[in-house]
Amino acid sequence: MTVACASAVWADEGVTLTAIDQVPDGVEVRGKQIGAYTWSDQQGINLLVLAEQVRERDDDGTQSAFVYAAQYLLDGDRPKRVWMLYDDVQHCEFDAGAHFNTDATRVTDLLGDGVSPVTVGYSRACTSDVSPNDFKLIMHVGKSQKYRLRGVDRSGASWWDEEAGALQSMPLPKDCSIAAQQALVSQYKEQGTELPLPGCYGDEQDFAKAPKPCLDFMRQHWLAVMQKQDADSAQLQTQDRTDDQE
């Protein structure tokens, strides 16, 4: 079995990923493909495909959107699906959205057993303004193990303060524990603010029986994804201000 149009290669935690443009026959893609990556481990040659779609509005004016991801093994005559992820927003009366954050995509060798954990992250929204979106960071380990962190991202968490002439926001806490989030709320005197704060998740219950390296990685990776989101937002808003002044 051949894989067409290899275009980029990078390494993460000892696992080398190759980005491809065209997936092999027998690989299902629902929606618009936004990424496909191959790598090798003890299982053989693996493929991860990511796709998403925002549908046209229905006759009643509502809108739906979805994300789709799947891992395949490419050894043999036909690809064999290891797992599939599908999540959606249905019949939204405002603007529906469901989008992968490609900065969250990671294939790692955390456990050293030859089976590579695969992590993806995505947002879901049904909103009429710029506000934090629901965000999920999900790790699959082989066919049956799945661990999730659920919270909100940093969308709309910063704004331009005309008087100060600078971006303002409540920063990310040092971690997403309840104590760290509450300490930040107290520091900024935002009493009554609901948890999780923008950029944090609610709990770690999915990891009660997970290997410790998985939770350690997901804690660090969640915050890294949110920090990158902050940096990208700051750059975009600063550039918009510059463009407006020209």
Side-chain angles (χ1 to χ4, degrees):
M1 181 179 296
T2 59
V3 178
C5 303
S7 60
V9 177
W10 71 94
D12 179 62
E13 299 288 336
V15 177
T16 300
L17 298 183
T18 302
I20 63 172
D21 297 322
Q22 182 178 341
V23 300
D25 292 340
V27 172
E28 180 183 16
V29 179
R30 301 185 189 180
K32 179 182 178 181
Q33 179 180 314
I34 64 162
Y37 313 95
T38 63
W39 72 95
S40 296
D41 63 14
Q42 187 171 297
Q43 299 179 104
I45 301 174
N46 297 266
L47 168 70
L48 172 67
V49 60
L50 306 176
E52 60 188 40
Q53 184 171 326
V54 177
R55 300 186 186 278
E56 297 294 330
R57 291 192 180 275
D58 294 332
D59 292 340
D60 61 2
T62 63
Q63 190 175 39
S64 299
F66 68 84
V67 291
Y68 165 86
Q71 178 183 347
Y72 283 83
L73 283 175
L74 300 185
D75 292 349
D77 295 333
R78 288 187 60 81
K80 297 179 180 179
R81 192 164 68 193
V82 180
W83 55 261
M84 183 192 78
L85 178 155
Y86 180 90
D87 203 352
D88 61 8
V89 176
Q90 295 187 3
H91 308 301
C92 173
E93 296 182 356
F94 303 107
D95 294 322
H99 302 286
F100 282 105
N101 182 320
T102 53
D103 292 323
T105 304
R106 289 290 185 275
V107 178
T108 56
D109 187 23
L110 293 173
L111 305 178
D113 61 357
V115 178
S116 306
V118 179
T119 302
V120 298
Y122 61 92
S123 61
R124 300 185 315 148
C126 175
T127 183
S128 60
D129 59 6
V130 180
S131 56
N133 305 309
D134 292 341
F135 193 85
K136 296 182 182 181
L137 192 64
I138 300 179
M139 173 186 286
H140 285 266
V141 185
K143 189 177 182 66
S144 58
Q145 295 173 290
K146 180 170 73 171
Y147 308 113
R148 293 164 289 193
L149 294 175
R150 306 178 186 89
V152 291
D153 66 12
R154 296 285 287 178
S155 176
S158 63
W159 64 92
W160 186 267
D161 188 320
E162 293 289 350
E163 292 185 2
L167 286 172
Q168 301 289 340
S169 68
M170 181 184 292
L172 278 167
K174 60 182 179 66
D175 60 62
C176 284
S177 65
I178 298 299
Q181 293 187 65
Q182 289 177 338
L184 195 62
V185 169
S186 298
Q187 178 183 346
Y188 281 80
K189 298 180 173 58
E190 297 288 344
Q191 301 301 326
T193 301
E194 293 185 2
L195 302 185
L197 295 178
C200 269
Y201 53 83
D203 60 59
E204 300 172 346
Q205 293 180 3
D206 268 17
F207 293 82
K209 297 182 179 180
K212 187 176 184 298
C214 293
L215 177 56
D216 291 344
F217 169 81
M218 291 287 274
R219 285 171 170 168
Q220 296 171 4
H221 190 43
W222 177 286
L223 290 178
V225 170
M226 297 303 146
Q227 289 164 356
K228 180 65 162 55
Q229 196 174 63
D230 270 352
D232 290 346
S233 176
Q235 182 179 13
L236 179 61
Q237 292 189 64
T238 300
Q239 183 61 51
D240 288 345
R241 293 288 302 177
T242 302
D243 294 344
D244 290 343
Q245 293 170 0
E246 291 179 352

